């Protein structure tokens, strides 16, 4: 089995500051967290940007630039920037990072879905910032847009800038979307994909759901003809699906973007803690951890 690539999703755009005091927000915090996650075994840092004062997701290229430069100063971890951005951002805002910074990798969301964060709002007693409640509740009437027009545009942009797309698959239908882009030669093999499991609006996060995604991928793209990673959104799904994925030879993502707990009811204090937990699980299951350079080889990065 190839070594395990651990990705750390440092801050995202779906966790709000009122959920946890440990959410990295400033470029410095995001960079320090990325370097610490690398020291704990992460080979990839998946990066979003936030407004330093309010913690709100932003598409600001200046903030992305500071984050990317600070990370590069501290670590040779692979930088994987989001093209998913945050709720309400336009496709152009979301994809601008690709042409500007030409990161080694970037996320590529493989279809439109409802993206329901509104149930989180009900669990927060006191909001730190005025934007948070509206942001969460607005997702009851939000479609995370990724039409075929958008998919072809994002694909072409990544290809033009030699950025390796990480295909974020929120449901089984999106596996067929990727097969279409492959057939139309927008996408080039070998694909690298990530099953995003447990988003309200996408596929669930049970072991059965994961087996179904994997078996459908084998049927569509050919067994062992692609690399794959898994996100279990929330606790304990992040670690349950990670354990199953580690046994199956896939790669895993952890991080405060997707999960804020290190154990039942206990907030994680950092991304590094989440990485260390999944590294412990991997070690117990005899799966070795890939360094950033080993991950570059596995993923065929430039
Ligand atoms: N927020 C995650 C559920 C992206 O940034 O483009 C999926 C994600 C997508 O990370
Ligand atoms: Zn993301």
């Amino acid at each position: 089995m190839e070594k395990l690539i651990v990705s750390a999703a440092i801050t995202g755009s779906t966790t709000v500051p009122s959920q946890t005091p440990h959410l990295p927000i400033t470029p410095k915090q995001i960079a320090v967290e990325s370097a610490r996650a690398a020291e704990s075994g992460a080979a990839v840092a998946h990066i979003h940007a936030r407004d330093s004062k309010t913690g709100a997701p932003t598409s600001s290229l200046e903030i992305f630039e500071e984050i990317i430069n600070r990370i590069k100063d501290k670590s040779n971890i692979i930088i994987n920037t989001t093209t998913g951005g945050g709720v309400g951002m336009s496709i152009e805002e979301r994809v601008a990072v690709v042409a500007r910074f030409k990161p080694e990798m970037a996320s590529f969301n493989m279809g439109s879905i409802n993206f329901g964060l509104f149930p989180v709002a009900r669990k927060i007693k006191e909001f730190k910032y005025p934007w948070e409640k509206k942001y969460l509740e607005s997702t009851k009437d939000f479609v995370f847009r990724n039409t075929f027009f958008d998919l072809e545009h994002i694909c072409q942009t990544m290809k033009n800038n030699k950025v390796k797309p990480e295909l974020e698959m929120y449901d089984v239908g999106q596996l067929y979307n990727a097969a279409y882009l492959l057939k139309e030669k927008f996408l080039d093999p070998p694909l690298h994909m990530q099953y995003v499991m447990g988003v309200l609006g996408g596929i669930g996060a049970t072991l059965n759901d994961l087996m179904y995604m994997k078996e459908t991928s084998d049927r569509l793209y050919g067994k062992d003809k692609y690399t794959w990673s898994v996100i279990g959104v929330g606790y304990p799904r992040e670690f349950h699906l990670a354990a199953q994925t580690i046994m199956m030879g896939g790669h895993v993502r952890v991080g405060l973007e997707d999960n804020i707990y290190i154990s039942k009811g206990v907030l994680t204090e950092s991304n590094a803690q989440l990485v260390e937990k999944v590294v412990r699980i991997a070690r117990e299951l005899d799966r070795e951890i890939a360094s950033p350079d080993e991950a570059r080889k596995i993923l065929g990065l430039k």
Side-chain angles (χ1 to χ4, degrees), residues 12-15 48-51 54-59 85-87 89 131 135:
S13 66
T14 48
T15 306
H48 288 245
R50 287 185 184 258
D51 178 290
T54 67
T58 177
S59 57
V87 175
M89 289 185 195
W131 64 271
Y135 185 83

Side-chain angles (χ1 to χ4, degrees), residues 98-113:
V98 170
R100 173 73 176 274
F101 302 111
K102 301 177 177 28
E104 289 184 85
M105 290 178 85
S107 62
F108 181 6
N109 295 277
M110 217 18 61
S112 303
I113 58 159

Side-chain angles (χ1 to χ4, degrees), residues 133-292:
K133 192 167 177 351
K134 272 195 303 287
Y135 185 83
L136 293 170
E137 291 178 343
S138 73
T139 62
K140 185 168 278 188
D141 195 26
F142 170 62
V143 174
F144 182 33
R145 174 191 154 139
N146 296 287
T147 63
F148 282 105
F149 177 85
D150 300 332
L151 296 180
E152 293 181 1
H153 171 58
I154 296 171
C155 217
Q156 201 53 55
T157 306
M158 289 200 182
K159 194 178 263 188
N160 297 347
N161 290 282
K162 298 184 177 42
V163 173
K164 174 93 175 177
E166 177 183 76
L167 312 182
E168 314 296 340
M169 306 284 191
Y170 294 78
D171 210 334
V172 65
Q174 297 188 359
L175 298 173
Y176 289 84
N177 294 354
Y180 160 77
L181 293 172
L182 203 52
K183 188 167 66 60
E184 298 295 308
K185 304 224 181 310
F186 280 99
L187 281 174
D188 299 323
L191 300 184
H192 175 61
M193 65 195 72
Q194 182 159 251
Y195 306 147
V196 185
M197 309 192 70
V199 169
L200 179 60
I203 196 165
T206 68
L207 307 189
N208 298 28
D209 293 310
L210 176 47
M211 288 314 293
Y212 184 47
M213 291 290 274
K214 182 70 178 71
E215 285 158 359
T216 306
S217 301
D218 288 349
R219 183 161 40 84
L220 289 177
Y221 316 121
K223 197 164 170 39
D224 301 332
K225 293 271 191 312
Y226 59 92
T227 48
W228 59 292
S229 179
V230 174
I231 306 172
V233 174
Y235 188 88
R237 304 188 286 204
E238 178 156 279
F239 296 106
H240 287 188
L241 291 186
Q244 179 183 1
T245 303
I246 289 164
M247 287 185 275
M248 291 170 64
H251 304 291
V252 299
R253 179 169 118 172
V254 296
L256 277 113
E257 172 164 353
D258 311 312
N259 163 50
I260 58 175
Y261 295 103
I262 189 67
S263 57
K264 193 168 169 38
V266 180
L267 291 175
T268 189
E269 290 175 11
S270 67
N271 282 282
Q273 258 191 343
L274 297 173
V275 172
E276 283 153 14
K277 178 160 178 168
V278 85
V279 164
R280 282 198 303 275
I281 294 169
R283 290 242 159 82
E284 290 299 328
L285 296 170
D286 296 316
R287 185 87 185 273
E288 283 186 70
I289 306 299
S291 68

